[in-house]
Structure formats: structure tokens, C-alpha cells
Amino acid sequence: MLRIDRQFLCGGDEAVLGGKYVRVAGLIGVSRDVTERKLLEERLSELNRYAQKLNKAKTLREVYRLTLDAMEKTLGFEYASILIVEGDSLRLVAHRGYSKVFSLRLPLDGDRGITVRAARTGRSVYVPDVRKDSAYIRGGESILSELAVPMKVGKKVLGVLNVESQKLDAFNEDDKKLLEVLASHAAVAIDNVKRQEKLAALNACGRRLSRAKSVGELCRQTLYAMKKILGFKLVDVLLVRGNKLELVCSIGLDCSQKLRLPLDGDRGITVRAARTGRSVYVPDVRKDRAYISAGVHSVLSELAVPIKLGDKVLGVLNVESEKLDAFDREDRRFLEILASYVAIALANIERTKYLTSMSKRLENLLRGSAKIMGVKDVRGRLREIAKTIQKFGWRRVVIGRVDEELNRKELITVGLTREEIKLLRERQAPGHVWRERFGPNFERFRIGEFYYVPWNDPWAREHVFGVPPDMPMHEAVKRMKVVPSRLSEEDMVDWHPQDLLYAPLRTPEGKVVGILSMDDPVDGRKPTKETLAPLELFLHLAALIIENAELMERLEKARKELEAYADQLEAKVEERTRELVELHDKLLKTQRMAVIGELAGIVGHDLRNPLTSIAGATYYLKKRLGPLGDEKVLEILNLIDKNIAYSNKIINDLLDYSREIKLDLNETSPIEIVDEALAAVEVPSTIEVVKLVGKKPRMKADFEKLKRVFVNLIRNAVEAMPKGGTLTIKSFRRGGKVVFTVSDTGVGMTKEVLEKLWTPLFTTKAKGMGFGLAICKRFVEAHGGAITVESAPGKGTTFTVIVPLEPKIEEGGEKVWLKMLESSLSTTTKT
């Protein structure tokens, strides 16, 4: 007999016979191992087939049936049961082999039940003799041993597969491993089915939420979904109200005290979620200083998910647990799905609420309009307009009639106390301040035809309200240039009580005849273009009423003057005749200018030939004389060159003004145009250049023509400051256009000069033809833009050039060679 190495034996005992080793026991062990391995492989193969069936299961009942089939038919367990974790308990959901049908629910924090131990530890528990384990719960069978295996997905225990036997120590390691394999397959199947059921339940919940009529109803349904569908115990809903996050409803938390957290603060996990717009999970709140206890001091983990619509955060869904690291990625995913449904429902409720409110307001507007037309006197009509606007949702309304300098000459108020009216008269802004408030510096505050100036803007607080940005409110109220509100921030949502909202009352021709201001909105919200749109109708109505009143006043004045001067009719006729003669003279001048324009093109071309010859001759003479030629002759030749250049400029101006303009469009930027223009002009050292021009926006324009416009404007500004000063050039975007301003601190212009400024052949300089600004105007208009000027003697001048980002025409400018007086309509005079 041969001696077999011990390593060859698969667990068999060695036998000794006659002092020699034999292989009988080893061969028996190998045979048994091969049989058991083959049986194990067959059972594993059968379990894989059951796993495929489990993956296709549609309901939990089907999963339970297939799992019990595998436990009984494949693994051969006589007594088998399935228990599922539900909240804080473990519930028996299916069983097989037992003689009695029974129900069982065990608390997970208790000490009864082998299955509870497996669920709580997340590990398999085998008890070979249940009589020795006090945790065992006796049933109707004579059970002696028990094996409990947890069903887990990741770290999360979903339930327990439990098998029992009437034999002592009935289960071995293979039974445990096979049951663990089945438990993993069953856990995945249960998790998939529950996920699908949750998604279906959430979709149904989303449809119910979309039908909610109020925020209260929506919150109640949301809490129900968070608890019943998603299985969370401590849940709450917080909504953004202004700059605060407010707790509106909760289950399991203390809501006796109103919880309102500032969004700019550092307290609250929910605040962090609202501010960042992202879900925030804190597995251990004891390590996060931002955590706020809401009455449940045993909370250990928290998950906060923002309620978002687009980029706007409307609120937060918040769940908490008394366990560490209680929430997983799936909990977060389901809560985010629910939050998206809540966001849509909230938006629907707000939209419905807005439409209902707007419908009522529009009804009030229509009634107010009818009532306004029934009032005869102007002041009464304006008061009715103010009352109608007040019913539209504004507690205080002021309408002021203004003169040509925008100084208020009459006030109509609604909602103000006597003390406030008195304070309003004391603090009313002069006309030049209102003109500035309607100017380019306030474009960023514009909403449609209204201007909304927030108190929290540091620049506005200093330049509009007249108080330093850091001044305390109680002191600011005494010094501010407007009438302070009686309300507090707590009464508002996102409107500050000291915010300012105003609008000019303009006639169709653009003349400002009044100013409307209003504050203290009933809903406490900032205005939007949509909410202010209906009120713009009343801006025009109020302007027409004031304009008609002024027209009636002028007519009445004219009637009295006609009566007073009836005897001087002949003088009036003569005056009118003189005006007609002047108009006739102007017409003749216009015709002459038109003829000159036609001749300019012809003469300009004809003059260039001799000028070119003279320039060539001058060049030739300079070359012949050389640098050592007669100094006097060279000086005369240089003078000839300068005059040729000047003559060419006059010809170019004539030709540019007389011909149609064709644009050569290329992509450029404001900074490129301005830099090139500044480089072409010699700016004295006594003049400080302030350039506030950016690289954006990119625009399409005829670079050379716009450069010529700004060269002309900059040169004029430099010539207007012979003693030095400041030249300021700015650019900014306004919608689909770029706005340039060129300002100087020079001598300024009179009103008479402004009226003729754009007229060709008009100039205030000793040298020049007066085509510069007229050509600038044509170049800008050819781009589909506009150029205007503001000036006053001794106060400097500001030219404003507005051009579209992309002109819609390539040929343009004025369609006739001369337009008399029309350009003066685009000029205004500072006061």
C-alpha cells in the first residue's frame, strides 16, 4: 500500500492498519465532498433561476411566494418565514410549513425575537438550541433550532429570511450561505418592487398635489406623502417668505413656536439647502453647528431637500431621524422627486392666486375707469385714479402735476395722513432731481415705465434717500429725503417698507406732465413687469387728463387773451403774416440747401482733380528742394499741404452729407471704437479722460463711421474745454442696444445753439463748414440708432449715442439732404 500525503485527503480521517497508513477514510471523504459540492452547485444553479424570476416580479406578494418556494423546494427548509422592516418594527408578511396562520409584529428596539437580532445587527444569527436563548419566541410547533438571515441592500436592512427546524443544530454553514444568497436576491427584488411602488405612489401624489387649492392643503398632502409613502417619521415643510425661511407644517416636531430663519444667516440645515439650492444631508447633527433642534432633542441625522422651480428656491422639505446616518441616496432621490412635484403645485397655486387677484384688480380698474370718466374736474379725476390704484393693491398713492422743469405744482394724495402730507411737501424733490431719476443712471431700476428703487441698495440709499448706507434705521427715518413708511419689515414678504416706486406721466409726444409714486403694497411683494403692466394704462390716462387740463387752461387763457386783444386783431394778423413770411423764407432756404446738396456732389468730385494736382506739385517741389532748401519756400509748401488737407475735409464732408450711406458691418466692441477714436484726437494734458467703456457687448457696426462719430464728439469736447476739465466716456447695454455718453465740463451751449445744432452749415467755430454733427447724426441714424444732446451754459455738455447691437439696415441715413428743425426735438436742456 502507498502512503498518501495528508494534503490530498479532503477532511477524511487517516486509518492505521498493521502499522501502515491506508487511504480508505480519505477516499470516503473525497467522495462525500464531491457529492456535497455537486449538490451545492445544483442548489446554487436553482437559486439563480429563482433570482431571474424574482427580478421579473411585479408585486411584493409575488416576491414573497417565489422566495418561500426557493426556501422550501430548493433549499429544503420545512419551516420558513419572511419578515419585513416597517418603521420601528419587524412584521411577519409570509410563511410556509406552519400548522397555524398567525400574525407577528416585533419592535426593533426590543429584546424578543432571533429575527429582531438579525435585523438590528445586519448579520445572520444561528441558534442551534432555541431553548437556551431567552430571545426566542415560541410558536405552535416544537421548534429546536433557528437560522435568521437579514435581507440587505447596501447597509439598509429590508427584512429577514427565517428558517426553523424541529431538530437540534439542524443547519450547517452551507445552509447559511445559500440562505444568504437567496436573501440578497430577495432584497434586490423587494427593493425594486418597493421603488416602483413608491414611484407610482409619488406620481399619483404629484397629480393630487397639482389639484391642491391652497398652500395649507398642499402642505398637508405633502406631509402625508413624506410619512406614508416615503416612510419618514419626523417631517416638516418650510417655505421661503421674503428673506426668511418659515416652518409652515410638521409631523413629530414642535410647532408651538413660529420658526422663521433668516436666509442670510448661518443657522439651520434647511437654510443651507435653501441658500445653495442643493440637497443637504447631515449624518450626525451633533457635528454640525448649523443644526437647530425643533423640540425633538434625540434627533441624530437630518436630510433637507430644496423645493425648486428652475433656479428659484420656494422652500425646503426636511426629514429627521433619531438614528445616526439614517438616510441613503434613495431616500434623497425620492424626496427630491416629491420636492419637484411640490414646487410645481406651489407655482400653480401662486399662479391661480395671482390670476384671481389680478382678475379682481382688473375689475376694480374697469370700474374705476368708468367712474373716472364721470368726474368733470381735473383734480377729482386724478383723485379717482389714485383711489383706483390704491384698490389695485397699494396703500399710499401720490400723483403730482409738474411744470416744464418737473417741479411739482399740485399734489393729489390717497392713504397718507396729514402729518405725512405735510412731510411730503417739506421733503418733495425739486425738478432737477426728478429729471436725474428719469435719466440713464436709473435705467437699472427700471421696470417697464416704472422705476423701482430698493432701500437695500447702498448707492440708492445715499443718492436717492440721502442717508449713509450704514446709518441705523431710527436715525435714517429722520433724515431721509422721502416720507418714511409706517409699516415694518415683518409686514412684508420681499418689499422693504422704505422702497421707492415711481413713474413719469408722459404724453404720447414724450413730455412729462406729472409723476406717480406709490408704496406699501398690500401683498408685501416687490413689483414685477407683469403686476405693473395694468397700471401703465393709468399712467397714460393720467397724463392725458393732465395734458387735456393744461390744454383747457391754455384755451381758456387764449380765449381771455382774444377777448382782451380783440381791438388789436390787426397787430395779430400782422404778427401771423410775419410768421408766414418767416416760414416761407425757411422753405426757400431749405430749397436752396437742397440745391447746394446736389451741387456739392458734383463740385466735390470736380475739385478733387485740381487739388490732387496741387498736392502732387507740392510733393514734387519738396523733393526737388530737399531738406536744405529755402526755409521760407518749404514753410509755404507745408502751408499749401495743410490747406489741401483742409479742402479735402470740406469736400469729404460735402460728399458724405450728400450721398446715401452704405454700411460696412463688422463685429467690434465699444472699447475698440472708443480707443481708436481717442487715439485719433490729441487730448491736452489739462484734460482728464475718464473712460468707463467695456469690452462687452459685442456688436456689429461700421467701425470707421462710428469711429468718425466719436472722433468728432471727442474733438468738440476738447475744444469746449480750453482751460482744461474732465472728459467722461461711458457705455452700457440697454436691451438690444448699446448706449454711449460723451460728457465734458466745458462752456456748454445755449438753448438757441441747441435748436440749430444738427443743421448743416451751422457752426459756432471761427473755422469750419458746420457739417460735423450733421454727418454724425446721419451715420448714427444709418445704423438704426439715435444721437441726442443735453447742455447748459457753464455746466458742460453730454452727447448720448444709442446704436443697436446688430443694425437691420445697411443703407440709410436721412432720405433727403436736409431736415430743418426736426433734430432739435431730440435735444433737452438741463436746469
Side-chain angles (χ1 to χ4, degrees):
M1 299 291 289
L2 296 174
R3 187 176 186 274
I4 305 299
D5 194 341
R6 185 182 295 269
Q7 292 181 353
F8 178 76
L9 300 176
C10 300
D13 297 325
E14 292 179 335
V16 180
L17 181 60
K20 294 181 180 289
Y21 291 103
V22 295
R23 53 189 299 186
V24 175
L27 292 173
I28 295 172
V30 170
S31 177
R32 185 171 64 244
D33 284 351
V34 170
T35 303
E36 289 177 353
R37 188 179 299 110
K38 184 176 181 181
L39 179 61
L40 179 63
E41 289 176 354
E42 290 176 353
R43 295 167 82 186
L44 282 172
S45 177
E46 187 64 25
L47 282 182
N48 285 332
R49 284 193 289 273
Y50 270 106
Q52 294 174 4
K53 294 178 182 179
L54 285 170
N55 287 334
K56 297 177 182 178
K58 302 297 183 183
T59 64
L60 289 175
R61 186 184 295 275
E62 186 179 357
V63 173
Y64 299 155
R65 179 180 60 77
L66 289 170
T67 304
L68 289 174
D69 286 347
M71 295 169 74
E72 178 188 10
K73 298 175 182 178
T74 302
L75 303 183
F77 299 131
E78 183 179 0
Y79 300 103
S81 58
I82 303 174
L83 298 95
I84 296 297
V85 173
E86 292 182 353
D88 295 331
S89 63
L90 188 66
R91 184 173 72 89
L92 177 66
V93 295
H95 58 83
R96 189 170 291 180
Y98 296 94
S99 59
K100 295 181 181 180
V101 177
F102 58 94
S103 62
L104 182 66
R105 184 183 291 271
L106 302 173
L108 286 173
D109 57 355
D111 55 1
R112 296 180 66 247
I114 307 301
T115 52
V116 169
R117 190 184 306 163
R120 196 164 53 219
T121 61
R123 295 191 296 271
S124 300
V125 177
Y126 175 43
V127 181
D129 187 351
V130 297
R131 296 171 301 180
K132 298 178 181 180
D133 198 315
S134 60
Y136 176 71
I137 300 174
R138 297 189 178 277
E141 316 298 332
S142 301
I143 300 299
L144 292 177
S145 58
E146 181 176 1
L147 173 61
V149 174
M151 294 183 287
K152 296 168 58 180
V153 175
K155 296 181 180 180
K156 188 175 182 179
V157 177
L158 304 182
V160 176
L161 295 185
N162 191 58
V163 294
E164 296 177 306
S165 176
Q166 294 178 336
K167 298 178 182 179
L168 284 171
D169 198 9
F171 307 109
N172 59 26
E173 189 66 24
D174 286 345
D175 293 329
K176 176 183 172 184
K177 289 179 178 178
L178 288 169
L179 194 59
E180 286 175 344
V181 171
L182 179 61
S184 66
H185 291 315
V188 172
I190 291 171
D191 187 54
N192 288 337
V193 172
K194 283 190 172 182
R195 184 185 298 112
Q196 294 301 321
E197 289 179 349
K198 280 185 178 180
L199 286 173
L202 282 178
N203 287 333
C205 176
R207 291 191 291 272
R208 289 194 300 273
L209 291 176
S210 66
R211 295 192 293 269
K213 303 298 182 183
S214 65
V215 174
E217 180 185 351
L218 174 64
C219 289
R220 287 191 296 271
Q221 291 187 18
T222 303
L223 289 178
Y224 175 84
M226 293 169 74
K227 185 173 183 181
K228 297 297 183 181
I229 298 177
L230 302 183
F232 301 127
K233 183 179 178 182
L234 305 175
V235 297
D236 48 355
V237 179
L238 301 94
L239 295 180
V240 173
R241 301 278 173 81
N243 59 352
K244 300 279 178 61
L245 187 64
E246 182 177 333
L247 176 66
V248 293
C249 57
S250 174
I251 294 178
L253 301 178
D254 182 13
C255 295
S256 58
Q257 294 183 349
K258 204 71 173 178
L259 184 62
R260 300 185 72 190
L261 303 174
L263 287 172
D264 55 357
D266 55 0
R267 295 181 66 246
I269 308 300
T270 52
V271 168
R272 191 184 305 163
R275 194 167 55 229
T276 61
R278 296 191 296 270
S279 300
V280 177
Y281 176 42
V282 181
D284 188 351
V285 297
R286 296 171 300 181
K287 297 179 181 180
D288 199 313
R289 294 181 180 179
Y291 173 72
I292 298 174
S293 174
V296 181
H297 300 291
S298 56
V299 167
L300 293 176
S301 56
E302 181 175 0
L303 172 62
V305 173
I307 303 170
K308 288 175 61 179
L309 191 66
D311 294 330
K312 184 179 181 181
V313 176
L314 307 178
V316 175
L317 297 185
N318 191 57
V319 294
E320 297 176 274
S321 175
E322 296 173 330
K323 299 177 183 178
L324 285 171
D325 200 10
F327 307 109
D328 57 20
R329 187 176 298 175
E330 190 164 290
D331 292 328
R332 174 176 172 175
R333 179 190 169 206
F334 282 127
L335 199 58
E336 287 174 346
I337 291 172
L338 179 60
S340 67
Y341 287 137
V342 174
I344 294 171
L346 273 174
N348 289 339
I349 290 171
E350 288 297 318
R351 185 67 179 172
T352 302
K353 184 179 177 182
Y354 167 76
L355 291 175
T356 302
S357 172
M358 185 60 68
S359 178
K360 291 181 179 178
R361 291 180 177 184
L362 290 173
E363 186 179 347
N364 288 332
L365 287 182
L366 291 174
R367 290 177 180 174
S369 299
K371 195 171 182 180
I372 289 166
M373 302 311 296
V375 180
K376 293 183 178 181
D377 66 291
V378 177
R379 189 175 181 83
R381 283 191 177 185
L382 293 177
R383 182 171 293 279
E384 284 300 325
I385 289 178
K387 288 180 179 179
T388 303
I389 293 174
Q390 186 184 44
K391 291 178 182 178
F392 198 76
W394 298 89
R395 293 184 176 92
R396 301 194 304 181
V397 183
V398 177
I399 299 177
R401 291 178 62 184
V402 297
D403 57 20
E404 292 183 355
E405 304 300 328
L406 299 191
N407 292 310
R408 282 179 173 169
K409 59 183 182 180
E410 185 179 9
L411 283 176
I412 293 91
T413 64
V414 172
L416 276 71
T417 63
R418 291 185 177 179
E419 291 75 13
E420 288 173 336
I421 295 173
K422 180 181 178 182
L423 190 60
L424 176 63
R425 296 185 185 280
E426 293 174 356
R427 296 183 178 180
Q428 63 180 343
H432 69 88
V433 172
W434 281 112
R435 190 178 298 279
E436 183 182 352
R437 290 178 182 176
F438 298 141
N441 290 335
F442 284 76
E443 277 297 317
R444 64 191 179 99
F445 300 121
R446 192 164 182 175
I447 305 176
E449 296 191 33
F450 284 85
Y451 292 82
Y452 168 61
V453 183
W455 167 263
N456 291 326
D457 187 294
W459 183 89
R461 194 177 297 187
E462 185 172 355
H463 292 83
V464 179
F465 300 98
V467 295
D470 55 349
M471 178 177 287
M473 177 59 72
H474 66 277
E475 293 183 19
V477 168
K478 299 176 184 177
R479 295 181 52 184
M480 61 195 304
K481 296 179 180 179
V482 297
V483 178
S485 173
R486 302 187 299 270
L487 304 179
S488 66
E489 289 188 62
E490 298 297 322
D491 300 320
M492 300 296 166
V493 179
D494 52 8
W495 169 282
H496 191 282
Q498 310 309 331
D499 287 353
L500 186 64
L501 181 67
Y502 62 89
L505 305 179
R506 297 184 188 271
T507 65
E509 293 77 23
K511 180 183 178 183
V512 177
V513 295
I515 298 169
L516 167 69
S517 59
M518 50 199 192
D519 60 10
D520 294 350
V522 174
D523 61 3
R525 297 185 181 277
K526 291 179 181 178
T528 64
K529 191 170 184 178
E530 193 176 21
T531 58
L532 293 175
L535 293 179
E536 291 186 357
L537 297 174
F538 281 81
L539 295 182
H540 303 307
L541 180 59
L544 287 174
I545 289 173
I546 293 173
E547 185 182 33
N548 289 338
E550 292 179 350
L551 179 60
M552 294 301 295
E553 290 172 357
R554 288 197 297 269
L555 288 174
E556 181 64 20
K557 182 180 179 182
R559 187 184 65 81
K560 291 180 179 179
E561 288 178 353
L562 285 173
E563 290 177 354
Y565 294 102
D567 296 335
Q568 301 178 13
L569 182 57
E570 186 176 348
K572 294 290 183 181
V573 171
E574 289 178 359
E575 183 180 349
R576 183 58 180 163
T577 303
R578 186 170 61 254
E579 291 176 356
L580 291 173
V581 170
E582 290 176 356
L583 288 174
H584 183 258
D585 291 341
K586 288 180 180 179
L587 179 59
L588 291 176
K589 184 178 179 181
T590 302
Q591 292 173 344
R592 287 197 299 270
M593 293 299 289
V595 173
I596 292 171
E598 293 177 5
L599 289 174
I602 300 170
V603 173
H605 286 291
D606 291 343
L607 281 177
R608 277 194 169 172
N609 292 329
L611 284 174
T612 303
S613 300
I614 295 171
T618 305
Y619 176 78
Y620 175 76
L621 290 174
K622 282 184 178 180
K623 286 293 183 180
R624 289 295 302 268
L625 289 172
L628 301 176
D630 189 297
E631 216 173 275
K632 187 68 175 176
V633 175
L634 287 174
E635 184 181 342
I636 291 172
L637 290 175
N638 286 333
L639 181 61
I640 292 172
D641 276 341
K642 289 182 181 178
N643 282 285
I644 289 171
Y646 181 65
S647 299
N648 264 323
K649 181 182 179 303
I650 293 173
I651 292 171
N652 286 334
D653 287 347
L654 284 168
L655 291 176
D656 285 340
Y657 197 79
S658 63
R659 68 162 65 106
E660 281 294 325
I661 296 173
K662 185 175 179 65
L663 299 181
D664 181 15
L665 298 178
N666 291 291
E667 188 170 294
T668 183
S669 67
I671 190 69
E672 292 173 358
I673 296 170
V674 173
D675 281 348
E676 284 288 327
L678 282 170
V681 180
E682 184 178 350
V683 181
S685 59
T686 57
I687 294 178
E688 178 188 0
V689 178
V690 178
K691 185 175 65 174
L692 303 174
V693 183
K695 296 181 180 179
K696 293 185 178 180
R698 300 294 295 178
M699 57 188 290
K700 282 191 175 182
D702 189 318
F703 184 88
E704 290 300 326
K705 288 183 174 57
L706 285 190
K707 172 188 169 183
R708 186 169 171 186
V709 170
F710 287 101
V711 166
N712 199 308
L713 297 180
I714 293 169
R715 185 176 289 123
N716 287 349
V718 169
E719 292 173 357
M721 297 182 287
K723 297 181 179 179
T726 302
L727 171 62
T728 304
I729 306 174
K730 300 179 182 178
S731 76
F732 58 90
R733 179 171 182 170
R734 183 194 296 168
K737 298 180 180 181
V738 183
V739 180
F740 297 87
T741 61
V742 180
S743 304
D744 63 63
T745 57
V747 295
M749 292 179 279
T750 64
K751 191 173 182 179
E752 291 74 16
V753 172
L754 286 172
E755 290 176 352
K756 301 177 182 179
L757 193 62
W758 309 107
T759 304
L761 302 179
F762 172 77
T763 181
T764 58
K765 302 175 184 177
K767 185 178 181 181
M769 293 292 291
F771 279 107
L773 288 176
I775 292 174
C776 288
K777 185 173 185 294
R778 291 202 68 213
F779 284 174
V780 173
E781 289 176 350
H783 282 79
I787 180 170
T788 59
V789 60
E790 293 183 359
S791 184
K795 296 184 179 180
T797 301
T798 297
F799 282 90
T800 301
V801 177
I802 304 174
V803 291
L805 294 176
E806 186 169 349
K808 296 182 180 179
I809 56 174
E810 292 188 1
E811 293 186 6
E814 297 168 335
K815 297 300 181 184
V816 295
W817 195 78
L818 183 65
K819 285 190 176 180
M820 294 296 293
L821 301 177
E822 181 178 305
S823 59
S824 64
L825 293 175
S826 61
T827 63
T828 56
T829 306
K830 288 183 179 178
T831 56

